[in-house]
Amino acid sequence: MIKTIDIRIVSVLGTLALVFALAPTFASAAPVEKTDGFVCPVIKTDAVLNSPKGAPIGEGHYTIIGPNVSVPVHATNGDGAGSPGGPHSEPGDTDYTAVWSGQ
């Protein structure tokens, strides 16, 4: 019985040692380039105008402006090229997201 417990302890300690040995590899990855942005979902109905934060953004679309956020550069609407009031992606597009680049 004692030998079985000893084997389990050694096995757990070995696994933990491996995890800690690999941890610096994961932590040393280059940080993702971020940009300031904001949340601005593209909505296809003017019903949002009933909200004090509702607004038209162009191309027949509307939004409810949300908080400022920090996001990876290409995780934003249109892979960073979307612009409210200008060309932008909408729900269903492969590069659509409600997060927009502030640049």
Side-chain angles (χ1 to χ4, degrees):
M1 175 103 173
I2 293 176
K3 289 183 180 181
T4 303
I5 293 172
D6 290 342
I7 292 172
R8 289 181 187 163
I9 290 172
V10 170
S11 177
V12 169
L13 291 176
T15 302
L16 287 174
L18 180 61
V19 168
F20 285 115
L22 294 176
T25 304
F26 299 120
S28 63
V32 175
E33 184 182 0
K34 300 245 181 172
T35 184
D36 290 334
F38 53 95
V39 176
C40 175
V42 176
I43 301 170
K44 297 181 180 184
T45 175
D46 65 357
V48 301
L49 297 177
N50 295 327
S51 167
K53 293 186 177 186
I57 60 171
E59 296 187 16
H61 299 137
Y62 303 86
T63 193
I64 295 177
I65 303 286
N68 292 333
V69 293
S70 177
V71 296
V73 173
H74 296 292
T76 62
N77 186 279
D79 292 331
S83 171
H88 58 263
S89 300
E90 61 183 272
D93 292 342
T94 58
D95 60 354
Y96 170 76
T97 178
V99 178
W100 299 68
S101 171
Q103 295 180 350

